[in-house]
Amino acid sequence: MASEKSAFVALLDATPVTVNNYNIAEVKHALDDSVRKILTKDHKFIEDNTHVDRKLLLGFSSCFFAIGGALYGHFNDFQESKLLVTIAIVLYSILNSSMLLYTWFVEKDTIFVGVRKGNGSDEKILVSAKCNKAKAEYFVKLSISGKKPVSNAFTKSFGAWFDVDGELAADVLVRDVGSLLVDKKSQ
Amino acid sequence: MDILGSFRHMSIRQMLHQVLNFCLVVSSALAMWKGLAVVTNSESPIVVVLSESMEPAFQRGDLLLLSMFNTPIRVGDITVFKIAGKDIPIVHRVLEVHDSKENGTQYLLTKGDNNPVDDRGLYNRNQMWVTQKEVVGRVSAFMPYIGMVTIILNDYPQLKGLLLAVLGVFVLITKEE
């Protein structure tokens, strides 16, 4: 893997990722996105978007009820439309809070779920990531289940991947993510 | 902030997520407003005083919280009513109440505390009474000065458009934590 040119590095050579170093949320999102892209483009994992799709569905249907209920209430007499508007608002609250609960208790820190089709057996991958705001550190945990299970994690300072101008050092991140995919115990 | 730059690296799902964030801001505002309307049983539970007709009770720029629970309207109540065909609701005190035995509705005569005459001049031509149906709510609480913000925004509509546009772009391009 190290010898051949990374597709992710090539992508970032064309359009570099630059963040505001003082915005932790932006740094975290840039790192999450990059880890996802390295896994799909360089390591041929296929992303499973179930978490995002479920959240988008819950979110957009809650919006549908809130906006629909408000429009219905706006164009109809208040006393006559009150019951339906109330139902719409209650549905909005239920859907909206289930989206929040899904994020908090089901998705948690997950940033990537995917599979890689191998010869004979598929490998399932699960990656979660967290930020320590006080120490400006990024914690990644990766586990692969399949024929050769792998479970690795590391914590590193943001400074390892971003220069003073906030530009992402793609090759360093590619190397770090690559090291997570190797089973250290078997070596 | 580089707007195009923040979109360049986004996948379709991430863009949908940003659009969803925008929709959620709109939805939560609408849901709160309609929720408050349903709870207070008033079509428009918050209004801003635009005139001096109720001084010294209310001044221009006061924010009023309305409610309309099922008790009958009484003389002395301060009501907000919207005359059929007129856009701007009026905040005035009830001077006379007539309960109709035939249809159970109430007919009201109103007057601004600071006005020399009652409101018949403000009603539609030949309209003698405000009907219960036209009453949006009764004033249950007020907060001074806060309404000046909406008065200023209404006086300068460009300001309102600018504010909404800036907030909208901001929500679309920034990611939450």
Side-chain angles (χ1 to χ4, degrees), chain A residues 45 116 118-126 142-152 180-187:
Chain A
F45 283 101
R116 182 159 63 181
N119 33 356
S121 67
D122 290 353
E123 292 172 293
K124 276 189 182 166
I125 186 170
L126 185 74
L142 180 150
S143 58
I144 296 176
S145 59
K147 240 179 190 171
K148 288 183 286 178
V150 179
S151 182
N152 283 322
L180 281 179
L181 290 162
V182 181
D183 188 8
K184 280 166 189 154
K185 276 167 260 168
S186 68
Q187 275 178 340

Side-chain angles (χ1 to χ4, degrees), chain B residues 158-172:
Chain B
Q158 313 94 306
L159 207 64
K160 195 154 53 174
L162 185 75
L163 193 73
L164 281 176
V166 169
L167 286 177
V169 168
F170 195 70
V171 171
L172 272 176

Side-chain angles (χ1 to χ4, degrees), chain A residues 73-176:
Chain A
H74 183 77
F75 288 111
N76 289 283
D77 179 73
F78 176 70
Q79 294 300 335
E80 286 161 22
S81 64
K82 209 165 64 177
L83 181 67
L84 277 177
V85 171
T86 312
I87 294 172
I89 301 300
V90 169
L91 282 174
Y92 158 83
S93 326
I94 293 172
L95 288 165
N96 201 5
S97 24
S98 35
M99 185 180 71
L100 279 180
L101 293 174
Y102 189 88
T103 313
W104 289 341
F105 297 111
V106 182
E107 190 185 26
K108 291 184 198 160
D109 300 325
T110 309
I111 62 160
F112 186 86
V113 181
V115 284
R116 182 159 63 181
K117 303 258 185 256
N119 33 356
S121 67
D122 290 353
E123 292 172 293
K124 276 189 182 166
I125 186 170
L126 185 74
V127 186
S128 55
K130 264 193 290 200
C131 268
N132 184 331
K133 285 186 191 174
K135 291 183 182 166
E137 283 175 344
Y138 189 59
F139 168 77
V140 201
K141 192 168 153 242
L142 180 150
S143 58
I144 296 176
S145 59
K147 240 179 190 171
K148 288 183 286 178
V150 179
S151 182
N152 283 322
F154 69 68
T155 308
K156 260 194 175 185
S157 163
F158 294 149
W161 303 296
F162 293 98
D163 65 11
V164 280
D165 301 321
E167 194 180 323
L168 179 68
D171 47 343
V172 183
L173 189 63
V174 167
R175 202 176 58 223
D176 286 340

Side-chain angles (χ1 to χ4, degrees), chain B residues 40-52:
Chain B
T40 58
N41 195 26
S42 168
E43 187 176 352
S44 151
I46 294 171
V47 293
V48 171
V49 179
L50 297 173
S51 77
E52 282 101 35

